[in-house]
Amino acid sequence: MGEYNLNYDNKSIDSILDYANNLIGKTFGEIDKYSRLEHNKGKGNLGQVVEESYFGYDVNSRAEADFAHVGVELKVTPYKVNKNNTISAKERLVLNIINYMEEYKKSFEESSFWTKNKELLLVFYEWKKELERKDYVVKDVMLHKFSEEDLIVIKKDWEIIINKIKAGKAHEISEADTNYLGACPKGANKNSVRSQPFSSELAMQRAFSLKTSYMTHLIRMRLGYNVEQTVSILKGTKKGIEEILHDKFSVYYDKSIDEICKELDINLISKNGSLPKNYAQIISSKILGIKGNKLDSIEEFSKANIKFKTVRIEKNGKIKQHMSLETFNYTEIIKETWEESKLRNTFLEQKYLFVVFRYDENDVLRLDKIKLWNMPLSVLDTKLKETWEETVRVIKEGLVIEVKGNKKYDNMPASTFNRVCHTRPHAQNSRDTYTLPDGRDHVKKCFWLDREYILSVVK
């Protein structure tokens, strides 16, 4: 590699790390010897500033790790402080570009991902909206080695990505396919495409990346910001997430709520003899060995951005409830593009653990199955896009509100729109509103997944 005067021993991890720790407290303007930030206003380049100005080597895109002698890759990555005073990674950690024509020929150990990113020297800076890039401050430096449990999950993620390439479906790869290691779009725009080996269809250029949720967990644990005690369900098992969930839940399939409660010593029935609303969380927590019904304290759910959802199939084989998502703000949603929209990004990055209960012919509620699911791109960029675009069009052109009796109706997409996604109110009462672009107040609404669609997913 082209090196300038080195102030550290590039053949010693300890020396590199000691030298890197001196970055803490510095702004990028102070680090930038060659005025790279003045001349280049584009996104990124903070990593290049650290490589060139601080570590003294030429900016490159080699297949090997940055510090090749010790197999360590340098990455500069931002986090942000949230309104509730927690911290989150601002974005995924983008690693190396995936060469579809070559990567599928290799084993995991020979892969470009593992060759380059076995160990990561992470330089964290705090992102603040009001600051210029030269004024961002380096807050922490760490050498990240993947734990044995993480590596089992990451290997499976890599295999999922490679198997899509082998199946001629590189154009269908989605970040939500995997748990920790993603394949994120990497290019100037959606026209950044490249050939794939087993299909004539061009696929979007993608890079291996560590998901935002994985990076958030990592930085929270590192800096100790409001981190509640997390619990690992994989530790010591040598199993992946899907495998451990199946192992733990499947022994209770077809058993009634009463039978499960008896086996697990759970007292569920309230004084009036009815099930509490959170019965599924209570049972699932106990099955997974989580105290206090806190499924969000599961380390692997946090890293993989897995959300828990209960599905209950009635005696007639149908589901009563649609599935609600987050509310949207009328004046903000119209400023989005579909590619950057909150709705699209939710499903691009998120998986759901559906815990499915069903009533049998005798009206006994039983645990039916679980399903770890993410929305396919083929549905996301057709049906959901359709609903989102129609919603935005209606808001922009002026929402029509019709009063019938005591109820108000509007012309946003309703449950008959496309049988996958629609809008409906999601408010505490009629006074719980957001302001429309024309100044009128209207009840808060959110996108909902249709119950028929959810039923087709779990079946």
Side-chain angles (χ1 to χ4, degrees):
M1 80 182 159
E3 294 164 351
Y4 310 133
N5 293 322
L6 298 187
N7 298 305
Y8 60 94
D9 179 359
N10 67 356
K11 294 176 183 173
S12 161
I13 287 183
D14 289 341
S15 176
I16 293 165
L17 193 54
D18 285 346
Y19 185 61
N21 277 319
N22 294 324
L23 283 164
I24 297 170
K26 286 184 166 67
T27 66
F28 285 93
E30 290 168 338
I31 299 164
D32 187 11
K33 282 185 199 171
Y34 304 105
S35 306
R36 188 177 273 275
L37 296 179
E38 282 178 37
H39 304 315
N40 197 325
K41 303 292 183 188
K43 191 184 174 189
N45 299 307
L46 295 179
Q48 294 174 346
V49 167
V50 174
E51 286 175 356
E52 188 179 53
S53 292
Y54 192 74
F55 283 102
Y57 61 81
D58 291 336
V59 173
N60 65 79
S61 56
R62 296 186 311 273
E64 62 192 4
D66 290 324
F67 300 103
H69 295 295
V70 289
V72 172
E73 177 76 356
L74 172 70
K75 286 292 173 187
V76 176
T77 187
Y79 70 87
K80 59 183 180 178
V81 179
N82 303 314
K83 287 177 184 173
N84 64 359
N85 218 30
T86 60
I87 60 170
S88 298
K90 185 179 175 288
E91 56 203 33
R92 56 174 88 83
L93 184 69
V94 180
L95 304 169
N96 57 300
I97 286 177
I98 303 169
N99 183 339
Y100 299 131
M101 306 304 283
E102 294 297 324
E103 191 76 359
Y104 77 93
K105 299 173 185 175
K106 301 172 182 176
S107 68
F108 176 79
E109 287 69 25
E110 299 164 337
S111 69
S112 66
F113 161 73
W114 192 239
T115 305
K116 196 167 171 68
N117 306 294
K118 197 177 295 184
E119 287 188 43
L120 300 169
L121 179 62
L122 299 175
V123 176
F124 288 104
Y125 67 92
E126 185 179 345
W127 174 87
K128 290 184 177 177
K129 192 176 183 179
E130 68 276 11
L131 293 184
E132 288 185 44
R133 291 185 307 150
K134 67 180 178 63
D135 297 322
Y136 295 149
V137 178
V138 175
K139 293 289 189 178
D140 195 25
V141 171
M142 72 177 284
L143 186 67
H144 179 61
K145 298 181 183 183
F146 296 102
S147 69
E148 193 181 343
E149 290 82 16
D150 282 5
L151 206 47
I152 288 167
V153 177
I154 283 169
K155 276 185 181 177
K156 288 182 185 295
D157 289 341
W158 181 85
E159 286 165 4
I160 287 167
I161 295 165
I162 297 307
N163 286 337
K164 275 212 166 170
I165 298 169
K166 286 179 177 175
K169 294 181 176 180
H171 56 287
E172 291 181 15
I173 290 172
S174 162
E175 285 179 86
D177 290 339
T178 50
N179 291 309
Y180 301 168
L181 180 71
C184 69
K186 177 71 174 165
N189 54 47
K190 61 185 175 186
N191 298 318
S192 300
V193 292
R194 59 195 303 162
S195 301
Q196 57 172 312
F198 302 105
S199 170
S200 58
E201 189 158 345
L202 292 174
M204 182 174 282
Q205 180 167 279
R206 290 181 178 272
F208 289 116
S209 62
L210 292 173
K211 293 192 174 189
T212 308
S213 47
Y214 182 90
M215 293 304 296
T216 292
H217 183 86
L218 197 152
I219 187 64
R220 285 181 178 178
M221 296 303 287
R222 174 72 180 173
L223 296 185
Y225 272 67
N226 295 3
V227 178
E228 290 188 22
Q229 193 61 41
T230 57
V231 182
S232 170
I233 57 172
L234 294 187
K235 202 153 189 72
T237 66
K238 294 192 170 9
K239 293 181 178 178
I241 294 173
E242 291 86 348
E243 199 180 347
I244 203 75
L245 288 172
H246 177 266
D247 286 357
K248 285 182 176 284
F249 276 92
S250 60
V251 292
Y252 299 102
Y253 287 176
D254 292 328
K255 291 188 177 180
S256 69
I257 297 275
D258 287 348
E259 287 167 340
I260 296 170
C261 288
K262 197 171 180 181
E263 280 190 42
L264 293 174
D265 194 24
I266 304 171
N267 182 18
L268 263 191
I269 307 302
S270 60
K271 286 176 184 175
N272 63 5
S274 62
L275 280 174
K277 278 187 178 178
N278 64 339
Y279 71 90
Q281 285 94 320
I282 295 169
I283 288 172
S284 299
S285 299
K286 193 78 172 180
I287 287 172
L288 293 170
I290 307 300
K291 291 177 183 174
N293 312 327
K294 288 193 172 179
L295 290 165
D296 54 2
S297 70
I298 296 172
E299 185 178 311
E300 291 78 14
F301 283 18
S302 167
K303 288 178 182 173
N305 199 2
I306 295 171
K307 296 285 181 273
F308 176 89
K309 288 282 181 185
T310 309
V311 176
R312 196 173 74 189
I313 300 173
E314 303 299 321
K315 196 175 170 182
N316 62 5
K318 295 185 176 179
I319 297 173
K320 275 186 182 174
Q321 303 291 332
H322 301 293
M323 180 176 135
S324 65
L325 306 169
E326 284 184 24
T327 55
F328 52 83
N329 186 306
Y330 302 123
T331 54
E332 286 175 10
I333 194 173
I334 58 171
K335 295 174 191 168
E336 296 177 339
T337 61
W338 168 244
E339 278 70 26
E340 298 296 323
S341 66
K342 283 183 182 174
L343 181 64
R344 187 171 193 267
N345 280 311
T346 293
F347 285 104
L348 271 184
E349 296 173 0
Q350 203 156 273
K351 291 173 98 88
Y352 291 88
L353 174 63
F354 289 128
V355 178
V356 185
F357 291 86
R358 61 173 172 80
Y359 281 103
D360 67 14
E361 63 280 3
N362 299 315
D363 260 352
V364 174
L365 190 58
R366 297 181 180 276
L367 176 60
D368 187 50
K369 65 173 84 166
I370 59 163
K371 186 176 179 74
L372 201 55
W373 173 81
N374 62 280
M375 182 172 284
L377 273 182
S378 56
V379 177
L380 182 56
D381 283 334
T382 54
K383 298 294 189 181
L384 257 73
K385 184 182 181 184
E386 228 173 55
T387 305
W388 182 89
E389 285 180 336
E390 178 63 8
T391 302
V392 169
R393 183 195 69 77
V394 167
I395 295 169
K396 278 183 176 175
E397 291 180 7
L399 189 78
V400 177
I401 299 171
E402 204 178 329
V403 180
K404 292 180 184 175
N406 297 330
K407 291 192 173 182
K408 288 182 179 177
Y409 297 88
D410 63 42
N411 57 331
M412 278 194 225
S415 58
T416 53
F417 183 69
N418 63 15
R419 301 296 179 190
V420 171
C421 181
H422 63 275
T423 67
R424 62 173 49 215
H426 198 269
Q428 293 176 347
N429 51 51
S430 58
R431 296 184 302 283
D432 191 10
T433 60
Y434 279 135
T435 305
L436 290 162
D438 60 15
R440 292 178 295 167
D441 287 333
H442 191 52
V443 69
K444 286 179 183 175
K445 299 192 85 171
C446 78
F447 293 105
W448 295 67
L449 292 186
D450 282 39
R451 56 195 174 199
E452 291 89 354
Y453 178 63
I454 297 296
L455 187 60
S456 71
V457 164
V458 298
K459 280 195 167 182

